[in-house]
Amino acid sequence: MNFEVKMLKTDVLIIGGGTAGCFAAVTIAEKAPNVSVLIAEKANIKRSGCLAAGVNALNAYITEGETPETYLQYVKEDYENIVREDLVYTMALRLNEVTKKIEDMGLVILKDSNGKYLARGKRNIKINGENIKPILAKAVESKKNIRVLNHVNIIDYIVKGSKVIGAHGFSINSNVFYIIIAKAVICATGGAAGLYRPNNPGFSRHKMWYPPFNVGSGYAMGIRAGCEMTSYEVRFIALRCKDTLAPTGTIAQEVKAEFINSKGEYYEKRYGRPTTYNRVFSTVEEMKAGRGPCYLKTVGISKEDEQRLIKAYLHMAPSQTLKWIDSGRGPSVENVEIEGSEPYIVGGHSASGYWVDTKRQTTLKGLFAAGDVVGGCPHKYVTGCFAEAEIAANSALKYIKDKEFETIDISSIEQKLNEVQRFFTNTSPLYTTEELEEAMQKVMDVYAGGISTGYAYNLKGLQVAKERIDELFTLAQRLRAEDTYQLMKIYELIDRLYVCKVLLHHLEARKETRWRAFQEFVDYPYKDDENFLKYVNSRFENGQVKIIFRSLVKKDEVYEHKD
């Protein structure tokens, strides 16, 4: 492959045109019309990221009677106090403001007869959100100082000293290799799916809770660049409708459905507080005890409620609606069977990601982060990602004031180009990218707490997994690409392997079990507040993962990187 090399310059480069990326770009464009913004997106921003298929509720909103303080308390309790209080609180302060902003962009938020948003529980409001991503894309397109590069796969940051000054990437549709120089970079990519063997086999294996095209590239780029990362051991496992992997929260909250086992027994309260992780854990335990399958009890709901559910899923997970209609058995006559997904690394729901300061700057200067890639701030969901994007955008604007573009060493460009091109000159190996991906998923499933082990793992298994993942790293370097799409798939595999490598070290470092199912360490089955009421962080140095333990950061602290 002979690449055409293109060098671009922009004041702010945003990697990832999903929820946080689009919102950050619009924020900058509105505050500073003379600042140039470039969004680099692997797909097309009209239907990319977690909101590609739409969503039927905004899950983070300060409803009447609630406050940012109560939101913080909810997050702390759900994640056993290991959260960055400064990040959660500064996010919560902006939730309602960004909700109004997305409504002004055109999102339909359902209201009652008095004009108040229709709430669903304490923190959710209902929306017609099938078109939320096109709305964001339209807002981006309306700004003259934002340029969008669709179908460009960014593969690494350009680092000069301890500063990020841009990124490398390539077009998926043509032979263009991009060198993008920027005064500041905002990483707004998604979390990591596809690390573990999924529920569904064969052709349906990409039917999963999280977008299968979110492979953790933002994490991997940060790991390779030496950024500090946090809380990878706090995996996220979604409790889902069986086979369709549609959300269960919609049913639980819309019609107050409770969990029952095959004997019709309500089991959730047997396992302690109804936290997010405990709902998965209790369902797994019921299955292990031979009392499965497990269900959400919907039999007996009214036909009106049934129609509301059918309509709600059309906005977010139409496969569930189609299943009900195709079978002729709606939720009013048949309970909804549930199951746990495979584990994910995703900072929007749990706590894994970049270690940032209160302004959302990473440990490398000039590199900011927002959304799913930011760690320590669980339960962000859509509006939390908006809020975090706004904070990162404002911080990036302050950072670039009076800054000039850095120069780039030509030899580093040649080195990166050679690294990419070698995948076109490798001799054809005996295995494919897809086969190595399946091997990785099997290793993680069997030895690192996947579905097949009920999410539990032990020290010996983690050590085996680390050896196997290292072997797969070596094999991945020998893969061959025939075109840029295959090249992207190779980089996606390598990025996943980096995330797995760091994840395994984090799982090993936290020698306790704090979040049942999410982090189920068989050798250390109990919570240990005396030794582990702290963050497990890491940094990739000289090919090795170095573990760092850090003290908790409180609500009113302004955290700055010092070491």
Side-chain angles (χ1 to χ4, degrees):
M1 174 72 69
N2 291 318
F3 278 106
E4 175 192 355
V5 178
K6 282 189 177 178
M7 183 175 286
L8 306 175
K9 286 188 176 180
T10 181
D11 291 321
V12 179
L13 168 64
I14 297 176
I15 302 173
T19 314
C22 286
F23 209 83
V26 171
T27 299
I28 293 172
E30 290 177 346
K31 289 204 165 187
N34 295 323
V35 168
S36 59
V37 180
L38 192 154
I39 299 176
E41 164 58 44
K42 184 169 69 173
N44 186 306
I45 68 165
K46 288 182 179 176
R47 285 288 181 188
S48 64
C50 298
L51 298 183
V55 64
N56 73 346
L58 298 178
N59 292 334
Y61 185 80
I62 309 299
T63 58
E64 202 166 305
E66 299 294 315
T67 65
E69 286 77 8
T70 61
Y71 196 89
L72 171 60
Q73 190 60 32
Y74 148 68
V75 177
K76 283 177 62 179
E77 289 177 0
D78 213 44
Y79 276 89
E80 298 291 345
N81 296 309
I82 311 288
V83 301
R84 280 280 299 276
E85 293 186 26
D86 61 326
L87 301 184
V88 178
Y89 186 62
T90 52
M91 171 199 75
L93 287 171
R94 293 172 178 262
L95 289 175
N96 291 14
E97 175 193 323
V98 296
T99 299
K100 180 66 171 64
K101 192 168 178 178
I102 188 69
E103 183 181 29
D104 291 343
M105 288 181 187
L107 180 69
V108 174
I109 302 179
L110 305 187
K111 296 176 181 173
D112 62 19
S113 56
N114 297 315
K116 293 183 177 178
Y117 294 154
L118 272 180
R120 194 182 72 175
K122 284 186 175 181
R123 292 166 285 272
N124 301 4
I125 55 174
K126 299 179 182 181
I127 63 173
N128 286 342
E130 186 279 331
N131 63 341
I132 189 171
K133 196 63 209 299
I135 288 172
L136 280 168
K138 188 176 178 182
V140 166
E141 290 167 359
S142 71
K143 307 299 179 188
K144 292 181 180 177
N145 55 331
I146 302 177
R147 179 182 177 186
V148 179
L149 283 181
N150 286 315
H151 302 122
V152 169
N153 192 41
I154 298 296
I155 54 174
D156 267 316
Y157 300 124
I158 301 172
V159 182
K160 191 172 186 179
S162 60
K163 187 190 299 183
V164 170
I165 61 167
H168 299 285
F170 60 84
S171 167
I172 299 165
N173 296 333
S174 65
N175 63 334
V176 177
F177 185 81
Y178 288 99
I179 301 154
I180 306 173
I181 308 297
K183 295 175 183 174
V185 176
I186 298 176
C187 182
T189 57
L195 306 177
Y196 285 78
R197 187 157 52 188
N199 299 67
N200 296 310
F203 180 78
S204 298
R205 68 187 185 283
H206 294 307
K207 185 190 289 181
M208 51 180 67
W209 163 72
Y210 199 65
F213 36 80
N214 284 4
V215 301
S217 296
Y219 297 139
M221 290 191 295
I223 292 166
R224 288 191 290 268
C227 289
E228 190 166 326
M229 296 287 168
T230 189
S231 306
Y232 273 52
E233 75 280 10
V234 195
R235 306 176 300 172
F236 184 74
I237 299 161
L239 197 60
R240 279 344 213 200
C241 302
K242 190 172 186 306
D243 298 331
T244 65
L245 275 295
T248 53
T250 301
I251 299 173
Q253 296 194 43
E254 285 278 357
V255 299
K256 309 297 181 192
E258 296 191 74
F259 299 110
I260 57 170
N261 59 27
S262 60
K263 297 181 177 181
E265 299 166 335
Y266 298 96
Y267 63 82
E268 187 182 8
K269 292 179 181 175
R270 295 175 184 168
Y271 297 89
R273 291 187 297 118
T275 57
T276 305
Y277 69 82
N278 238 348
R279 293 190 181 99
V280 179
F281 174 68
S282 60
T283 302
V284 171
E285 290 300 297
E286 288 297 302
M287 300 283 280
K288 284 161 64 175
R291 295 189 288 270
C294 294
Y295 303 90
L296 276 168
K297 187 177 184 306
T298 55
V299 169
I301 65 172
S302 68
K303 287 295 178 184
E304 183 183 5
D305 282 343
E306 181 173 88
Q307 287 303 310
R308 277 198 296 126
L309 288 179
I310 288 172
K311 183 179 177 183
Y313 278 97
L314 271 178
H315 289 295
M316 178 174 49
S319 57
Q320 185 62 37
T321 294
L322 293 173
K323 181 179 180 181
W324 280 325
I325 292 174
D326 184 56
S327 67
R329 298 188 299 276
S332 67
V333 296
E334 186 172 85
N335 293 322
V336 177
E337 188 175 347
I338 55 177
E339 64 179 353
S341 71
E342 73 276 23
Y344 302 87
I345 297 299
V346 54
H349 283 65
S350 65
S352 315
Y354 282 85
W355 181 249
V356 297
D357 63 17
T358 309
K359 296 176 181 176
R360 273 57 170 186
Q361 183 166 221
T362 72
T363 49
L364 289 182
K365 291 177 182 174
L367 177 62
F368 301 82
D372 274 340
V373 290
V374 172
C377 185
H379 292 323
K380 279 190 275 255
Y381 307 120
V382 176
T383 44
C385 289
F386 289 157
E388 209 157 52
E390 203 171 68
I391 297 169
N394 291 335
S395 301
L397 276 177
K398 286 182 183 173
Y399 175 82
I400 65 172
K401 191 176 180 183
D402 300 327
K403 285 222 169 19
E404 300 293 332
F405 289 107
E406 295 277 351
T407 57
I408 182 171
D409 181 5
I410 298 299
S411 64
S412 70
I413 299 174
E414 292 174 351
Q415 185 180 351
K416 181 56 69 175
L417 200 52
N418 289 336
E419 176 193 308
V420 173
Q421 284 182 319
R422 77 178 190 278
F423 289 111
F424 293 101
T425 57
N426 281 343
T427 54
S428 296
L430 297 174
Y431 42 82
T432 65
T433 305
E434 191 170 312
E435 286 168 343
L436 292 189
E437 180 182 298
E438 289 183 8
M440 172 196 68
Q441 291 173 344
K442 183 177 180 181
V443 167
M444 296 300 289
D445 179 68
V446 173
Y447 298 113
I451 294 170
S452 69
T453 64
Y455 307 114
Y457 54 88
N458 63 20
L459 183 57
K460 181 62 179 174
L462 293 178
Q463 291 169 344
V464 172
K466 286 198 284 189
E467 292 173 9
R468 298 287 184 270
I469 292 298
D470 282 345
E471 290 169 3
L472 291 172
F473 261 113
T474 302
L475 296 177
Q477 299 305 319
R478 300 171 189 163
L479 287 168
R480 178 182 171 85
E482 299 296 335
D483 53 40
T484 50
Y485 178 77
Q486 290 183 8
L487 182 65
M488 177 193 72
K489 299 302 288 184
I490 292 173
Y491 270 93
E492 286 185 342
L493 170 67
I494 292 172
D495 286 346
R496 280 178 166 134
L497 288 170
Y498 270 99
V499 177
C500 288
K501 189 178 181 74
V502 171
L503 167 59
L504 291 169
H505 281 79
H506 276 249
L507 291 174
E508 185 178 2
R510 184 172 286 283
K511 291 180 170 49
E512 63 164 350
T513 293
R514 181 167 292 269
W515 307 276
R516 303 302 303 266
F518 284 18
Q519 184 257 331
E520 189 83 34
F521 203 158
V522 174
D523 300 318
Y524 303 92
Y526 303 109
K527 189 165 70 173
D528 180 0
D529 276 349
E530 184 176 344
N531 295 300
F532 285 97
L533 202 53
K534 58 183 69 171
Y535 311 108
V536 175
N537 287 9
S538 65
R539 199 177 293 138
F540 194 62
E541 295 179 351
N542 302 317
Q544 302 295 320
V545 179
K546 176 186 173 185
I547 292 294
I548 304 160
F549 293 102
R550 290 201 181 273
S551 301
L552 299 185
V553 180
K554 297 299 181 183
K555 163 176 162 279
D556 295 320
E557 286 186 53
V558 177
Y559 182 84
E560 296 179 341
H561 301 304
K562 294 175 183 173
D563 57 343

